[in-house]
């Protein structure tokens, strides 16, 4: 049985996966900024979920899930299906941004300068045994 997606347990497991990933550390040496994943209500989600990650130079210093909005430098918003598609490898996160399937609040140029960091972050999240709603 997997970890329920969007739960605090899932966020903490992602923090462990990030901090254990040499590939993420190498790709994210220059990354500075916290990030919130927002999963919109609907399609299996009875309310919006906010997954917060405090990312700093290849490490995750904190992670948690919240039912209320979280202030962060970057906010990625999408419905449950796009998050499933990204974490299952069916679609690419950067491509989803360009196609506006994911919405970004924050500096897009900063993200575009470290695409490998985004790829490795997705790989960490994809490695979790996730139970979907």
């Amino acid at each position: 049985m997997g970890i329920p997606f969007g739960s605090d347990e899932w966020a903490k497991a992602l923090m462990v996966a990030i901090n254990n990933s040499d590939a993420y550390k190498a790709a994210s040496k220059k990354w500075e900024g916290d990030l919130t994943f927002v999963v919109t209500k609907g399609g299996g989600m009875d309310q919006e979920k906010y997954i917060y990650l405090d990312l700093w130079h290849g490490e995750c210093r904190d992670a948690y899930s919240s039912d209320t909005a979280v202030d962060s430098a970057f906010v990625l918003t999408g419905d449950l299906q796009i998050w499933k598609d990204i974490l299952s490898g069916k679609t690419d996160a950067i491509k989803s941004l360009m196609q506006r399937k994911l919405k970004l609040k924050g500096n897009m140029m900063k993200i575009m300068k470290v695409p490998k960091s985004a790829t490795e972050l997705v790989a960490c999240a994809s490695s979790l045994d996730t139970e979907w709603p």
Side-chain angles (χ1 to χ4, degrees):
M1 184 156 162
I3 305 167
F5 178 73
S7 67
D8 200 54
E9 181 184 6
W10 192 89
K12 300 290 188 214
L14 179 54
M15 180 171 73
V16 170
I18 290 167
N19 288 334
N20 287 332
S21 172
D22 292 335
Y24 179 79
K25 281 182 179 78
S28 304
K29 286 179 186 176
K30 295 182 180 181
W31 178 263
E32 296 178 354
D34 53 355
L35 170 70
T36 302
F37 298 135
V38 180
V39 187
T40 57
K41 182 179 175 179
M45 298 297 288
D46 57 354
Q47 65 185 40
E48 280 193 339
K49 239 351 154 170
Y50 301 85
I51 302 163
Y52 173 82
L53 302 171
D54 179 4
L55 302 171
W56 193 259
H57 296 276
E59 291 186 27
C60 184
R61 302 186 295 189
D62 193 15
Y64 58 86
S65 176
S66 176
D67 293 336
T68 58
V70 179
D71 187 37
S72 61
F74 296 90
V75 179
L76 286 168
T77 303
D79 64 23
L80 182 63
Q81 189 59 54
I82 194 65
W83 291 114
K84 279 183 180 179
D85 289 349
I86 290 168
L87 297 184
S88 70
K90 289 182 184 176
T91 193
D92 178 75
I94 300 293
K95 188 181 213 180
S96 295
L97 279 170
M98 296 304 185
Q99 295 172 339
R100 298 180 189 245
K101 292 178 182 178
L102 274 181
K103 294 182 178 117
L104 172 69
K105 179 185 145 224
N107 186 339
M108 173 68 102
M109 289 310 298
K110 186 172 179 180
I111 289 177
M112 298 307 286
K113 288 180 180 179
V114 288
K116 184 72 173 153
S117 179
T119 301
E120 294 304 330
L121 181 60
V122 169
C124 291
S126 298
S127 74
L128 301 179
D129 182 12
T130 300
E131 180 182 319
W132 295 96

